Amino acid sequence: METSTMKMKIEKAKTSKIHEVDFDNLAFGTVFTDHMLICKFKNGAWEQPEIVPYQPITLDPSAKIFHYGQSIFEGMKGYKDANDDIWLFRPMDNCKRLNISAKRMAIPELPEAYFIDGLKELIRLDKDWIPKKQGSSLYIRPFIFASGNGFHASPADEYTFVIACAPSGAYFSGKVKVLIEENYSRSANGGVGYAKAGGNYAGQFYPTQLAIDKGYNQVIWTDDNTHEYIEEAGSMNIFVRINDTLITAPTSDRILDGITRKSILEIAKDEGIHTEVRKITVTEVVEAAKSGTLKEMFGAGTAAVISPIVTFGYRNEDYDLPEIQDGYATRLKKRITDIQYNRSEDKFGWRLKVS
Ligand code: COI
């Protein structure tokens, strides 16, 4: 056992699995680093986090996560630059959002220092796992789940916070074709759509599979009330470019306050791109596609960064997006990833060095 600067217990793995990993052919989130952080909430308080070898977690069959889905997560990435320096992107924003999700899901909020210092300690220990290949990074998954027991449908009395990391390549490969969804809903007014709650994602699997069966990759979520407003793209926020204006839906209790989304808005303004944060109707997107003013559509999220959409389907009709050289998606992706990988100046102060 070693002690970190924040007096964190660290139990190192006896052997490393790193030599088993093909870093040139990484999928997304399928291999995991040697260590993980674990921290328990018991008797009304969070205990000190510990770093232990990556391992299975044993739970009682009555643990409330299994029955009531009381669980939340975050998605973030660690990047290595040309000098092997390590960077995180806006980690405080992930920490804040985790606690916003925690509140909504009746999970006790986690002290910021446990999240940030624990994360830095874990990344330092597993730094050799951060890929250097262009387009690859260390995907970091902080999550909290109800590990307390009992069938009573009420919040658990014990919780577990874990950070696990997966060296990862691109989230999507190939062209993304989406279907505008009019029957199923991802979220509703007063619901949990803005929280990164596990169930928000599970609820998408079935409608997404129906779309996949029809030849699409993802669903474009519309509002639950009228299905007339475009809200999210699969597990990402959505951007639409009509003529030279870049538009995204406003965040609400139905829409996730994406860190990539808000970074893109700031970078776009800095690039001199006219942006609008407002409701986007399906009708306006279909009309724009018909008249040729719809130039680009893309999803934005941590895992996929920016994922250009090539076709959208609506009411049995497919609409192809034009092939644009050096479009907004390409320009904005370059700007954001240059900041993330320390290839450019960070004028917004978003990077955090892990040293
Ligand atoms: C992310 O973009 O990091 C997400 O949280 C989406 C996830 C479902 C892969």
Side-chain angles (χ1 to χ4, degrees):
M1 293 272 180
E2 286 174 19
T3 304
S4 84
T5 43
M6 74 170 282
K7 307 258 182 295
M8 192 185 303
K9 268 195 206 160
I10 299 176
E11 184 193 339
K12 283 197 179 169
K14 291 199 174 58
T15 53
S16 174
K17 302 167 296 190
I18 199 163
H19 305 294
E20 296 164 19
V21 177
D22 178 2
F23 278 85
D24 287 326
N25 293 295
L26 287 170
F28 177 85
T30 54
V31 289
F32 305 95
T33 64
D34 285 329
H35 300 93
M36 64 190 211
L37 177 136
I38 188 157
C39 177
K40 299 214 165 158
F41 180 91
K42 281 186 183 164
N43 304 316
W46 285 101
E47 298 177 344
Q48 280 279 314
E50 290 180 18
I51 292 176
V52 296
Y54 186 87
Q55 60 191 274
I57 295 169
T58 306
L59 291 174
D60 191 275
S62 78
K64 293 203 178 185
I65 172 62
F66 296 137
H67 307 279
Y68 306 118
Q70 205 188 359
S71 86
I72 55 172
F73 69 93
E74 274 301 314
M76 48 199 307
K77 284 177 174 172
Y79 310 88
K80 202 175 258 182
D81 69 17
N83 300 318
D84 283 352
D85 285 332
I86 297 158
W87 302 92
L88 297 169
F89 184 71
R90 309 188 77 170
M92 282 307 298
D93 293 50
N94 291 95
C95 180
K96 287 198 181 100
R97 193 173 60 187
L98 184 78
N99 278 334
I100 289 171
S101 302
K103 189 169 181 190
R104 180 62 182 85
M105 298 302 287
I107 290 173
E109 289 178 35
L110 183 81
E112 279 182 0
Y114 287 16
F115 184 101
I116 297 291
D117 296 357
L119 173 63
K120 286 204 266 187
E121 199 65 59
L122 179 66
I123 300 295
R124 267 183 221 116
L125 195 60
D126 280 343
K127 64 179 188 315
D128 293 344
W129 287 82
I130 305 176
K132 277 191 85 164
K133 196 179 166 205
Q134 175 88 21
S136 297
S137 58
L138 187 72
Y139 187 76
I140 303 166
R141 177 51 65 85
F143 58 102
I144 306 179
F145 61 92
S147 43
N149 302 333
F151 289 154
H152 197 276
S154 54
D157 57 357
E158 291 185 12
Y159 295 86
T160 304
F161 169 57
V162 176
I163 307 180
C165 302
S168 293
Y171 190 76
F172 288 115
S173 52
K175 298 181 169 172
V176 178
K177 209 176 149 184
V178 297
L179 178 66
I180 297 182
E181 177 61 61
E182 288 196 278
N183 296 309
Y184 296 96
S185 300
R186 178 190 166 274
S187 59
N189 288 330
V192 300
Y194 68 95
K196 272 190 99 69
N200 277 344
Y201 295 78
Q204 299 189 34
F205 295 163
Y206 177 65
T208 304
Q209 187 55 50
L210 297 180
I212 291 170
D213 293 344
K214 290 183 188 152
Y216 300 92
N217 309 94
Q218 284 287 332
V219 158
I220 296 281
W221 296 108
T222 52
D223 69 292
D224 63 299
N225 189 22
T226 64
H227 293 291
E228 180 51 18
Y229 297 101
I230 282 182
E231 302 213 312
E232 289 202 22
S235 57
M236 296 175 287
N237 294 111
I238 186 156
F239 284 83
V240 172
R241 172 181 171 189
I242 297 180
N243 287 318
D244 286 339
T245 301
L246 187 63
I247 316 162
T248 192
T251 53
S252 67
D253 54 3
R254 298 190 306 273
I255 298 181
L256 186 86
D257 185 8
I259 294 164
T260 309
R261 172 190 174 279
K262 63 186 182 190
S263 306
I264 286 173
L265 281 172
E266 285 196 56
I267 294 173
K269 280 182 205 151
D270 191 61
E271 286 271 301
I273 294 172
H274 181 244
T275 60
E276 286 179 5
V277 177
R278 63 161 172 85
K279 290 182 168 188
I280 310 162
T281 64
V282 178
T283 310
E284 114 178 82
V285 171
V286 170
E287 289 307 317
K290 284 183 182 162
S291 68
T293 55
L294 181 70
K295 304 292 184 201
E296 293 180 69
M297 276 172 93
F298 56 85
T302 298
V305 193
I306 287 180
S307 180
I309 291 163
V310 295
T311 302
F312 75 87
Y314 180 62
R315 295 191 179 168
N316 300 319
E317 199 79 50
D318 275 356
Y319 299 86
D320 293 327
L321 279 282
E323 277 185 33
I324 289 192
Q325 295 301 314
D326 205 27
Y328 289 176
T330 310
R331 277 166 63 190
L332 295 167
K333 184 171 180 181
K334 181 167 183 336
R335 278 285 308 268
I336 194 168
T337 53
D338 280 352
I339 295 173
Q340 290 167 333
Y341 287 86
N342 188 29
R343 290 189 294 251
S344 73
E345 181 206 353
D346 175 22
K347 64 192 285 189
F348 306 99
W350 288 335
R351 271 195 306 255
L352 177 75
K353 189 171 181 179
V354 180
S355 48

